[in-house]
């Protein structure tokens, strides 16, 4: 098993602590894999296997657990009565009706160390979730970063640029490494995964009837990575296609996709007025391979793909991420965490004076002392220009 060490370090501090560990993320991002990693860690720390119970609702053997009563009864029957801590792992818990009642009861007994996973952000937004409010910590799992991608590749010596171009094309779903990155097989798998997420986590869950219209909206988002737009923009696009749909419906569809972790919304922040803006935002994918598998990989899309990869890197590092607005200029990312802040511009290549002027000018206008980066694919050493760090994007991702 290849360890995803960064997540294990995040969760170690909460093991045997009186909080429910809620592990969230898109399907096939590696949540089940991570649970097995935690279980292996516990066993190495001397925890007896009889103290550990793993329930995976994607397995048919647990299909009989339909609601919180079934869950409570099964767990109670599975563990022997003892004073030892019981380690309970429940994978894809959203498939169990009113699961919060059972989990809240286990928590109240103070004999369980609880770990649950879910592939839908609404997992923590239902009325019943008030039963565990204030008693949980959420750990978000993302698909492989480029650093992890190299680890999964398992090569001792690599050409970083060649490997990054593979990452740019095939993304970070862990399971693709079982296919040796064969293009036909890999994209066939990712298309199947896309259909599973769309059908199971969005269309079926939210009872969407106009599936063709919904798919058109998905393709619009995928085609506009790194572009600012709004629900009205999508509405106008659909009207040009002679398809009528209300803005409210579009907003609902976007929220359903966000809940499945297939897309992430990034709001704009006005640096002068120091406030978030309500209109016009960007959307990034939970993994860029979804776009490449659905619409095909094209060189002209590389700028949006690069932005998407940097965004996921920042989220993995626990940053809050915004788009910056300064007068009529845009900053690709403002990243904030624990009083830290950095500004980032992402470009494919800085080949022309016009491109360099565009990327550096807005950062030069920001007068605070937080780090400022211009990231690109140019094969040049890291440099400093008027306090702005110009860095190769691959080096940034690996640092």
């Amino acid at each position: 098993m290849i360890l995803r060490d960064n997540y294990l370090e995040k969760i170690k501090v909460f093991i045997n602590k009186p909080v429910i560990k809620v592990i969230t993320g898109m399907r096939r991002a590696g949540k089940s894999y991570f649970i097995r990693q935690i279980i292996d860690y516990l066993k190495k720390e001397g925890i007896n296997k009889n103290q550990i119970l793993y329930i995976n609702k994607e397995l048919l053997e647990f299909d009989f657990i339909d609601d919180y009563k079934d869950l409570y009864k099964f767990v109670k029957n599975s563990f022997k009565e003892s004073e030892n801590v019981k380690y309970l792992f429940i994978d894809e818990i959203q498939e169990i009706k009113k699961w919060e009642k059972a989990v809240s009861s286990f928590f109240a007994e103070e004999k369980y160390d609880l770990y649950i996973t879910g592939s839908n952000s609404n997992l923590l937004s239902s009325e019943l979730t008030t039963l565990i409010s204030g008693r949980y910590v959420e750990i978000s799992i993302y698909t492989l970063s480029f650093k992890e991608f190299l680890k999964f590749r398992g090569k001792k010596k690599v050409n970083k640029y060649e490997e990054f171009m593979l990452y740019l094309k095939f993304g970070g779903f862990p399971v693709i490494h079982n296919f040796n990155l064969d293009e036909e097989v890999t994209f066939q798998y990712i298309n199947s995964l896309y259909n599973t997420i769309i059908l199971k986590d969005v269309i079926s869950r939210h009872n969407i009837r106009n599936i063709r219209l919904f798919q058109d909206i998905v393709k619009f988002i995928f085609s506009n990575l790194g572009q600012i737009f709004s629900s009205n923009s999508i509405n106008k696009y659909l009207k040009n296609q002679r398809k009528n749909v209300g803005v409210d419906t579009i907003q609902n569809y976007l929220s359903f996709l966000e809940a499945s972790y297939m897309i992430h919304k990034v709001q704009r922040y006005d640096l002068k007025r120091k406030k978030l803006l309500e209109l016009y935002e960007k959307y990034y994918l939970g993994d860029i391979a979804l776009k490449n598998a659905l619409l095909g990989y094209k060189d002209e899309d590389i700028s949006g793909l690069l932005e998407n990869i940097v965004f996921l890197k920042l989220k993995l590092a626990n940053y809050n991420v915004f788009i910056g607005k300064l007068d009529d200029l845009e900053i690709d990312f403002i990243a904030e965490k624990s009083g830290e802040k950095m500004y980032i511009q992402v470009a494919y290549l800085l080949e022309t004076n016009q491109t360099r002027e565009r990327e550096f000018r807005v950062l030069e206008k920001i007068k605070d002392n937080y780090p400022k980066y211009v990231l690109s694919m140019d094969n040049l050493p890291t440099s400093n220009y008027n306090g702005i760090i110009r860095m190769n994007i691959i080096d940034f991702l690996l640092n």
Side-chain angles (χ1 to χ4, degrees), residues 173-230:
F173 286 108
V175 75
I176 66 173
H177 294 274
N178 294 318
F179 309 138
N180 297 317
L181 302 190
D182 176 277
E183 182 169 335
E184 183 178 353
V185 177
T186 300
F187 281 156
Q188 184 179 349
Y189 166 78
I190 294 170
N191 264 310
S192 175
L193 174 58
Y194 164 83
N195 289 326
T196 299
I197 296 172
I198 288 293
L199 291 172
K200 190 168 185 179
D201 293 337
V202 184
I203 292 173
S204 295
R205 183 176 297 277
H206 300 287
N207 196 26
I208 293 174
R209 296 179 181 177
N210 194 336
I211 296 174
R212 181 171 292 182
L213 177 66
F214 176 73
Q215 296 275 24
D216 286 340
I217 292 172
V218 172
K219 288 178 181 177
F220 179 91
I221 297 166
F222 282 24
S223 299
N224 287 276
L225 289 186
Q227 303 297 317
I228 293 175
F229 60 86
S230 67

Side-chain angles (χ1 to χ4, degrees), residues 145-161:
S145 67
F146 181 52
K147 201 172 195 176
E148 291 177 311
F149 179 89
L150 292 178
K151 191 175 180 180
F152 272 62
R153 289 281 282 158
K155 294 183 177 181
K156 291 183 179 179
K157 291 184 179 181
V158 296
N159 180 310
K160 290 190 296 184
Y161 178 81

Side-chain angles (χ1 to χ4, degrees), residues 116-169:
I116 64 177
T117 84
S119 298
N120 195 289
S121 65
N122 292 334
L123 183 78
L124 297 173
S125 61
S126 69
E127 290 182 17
L128 273 173
T129 310
T130 56
L131 291 171
I132 63 169
S133 179
R135 303 174 183 178
Y136 67 86
V137 60
E138 182 178 2
I139 294 176
S140 299
I141 302 290
Y142 298 92
T143 58
L144 301 179
S145 67
F146 181 52
K147 201 172 195 176
E148 291 177 311
F149 179 89
L150 292 178
K151 191 175 180 180
F152 272 62
R153 289 281 282 158
K155 294 183 177 181
K156 291 183 179 179
K157 291 184 179 181
V158 296
N159 180 310
K160 290 190 296 184
Y161 178 81
E162 290 178 359
E163 292 295 315
F164 183 70
M165 295 311 292
L166 289 174
Y167 181 65
L168 201 60
K169 189 172 190 177

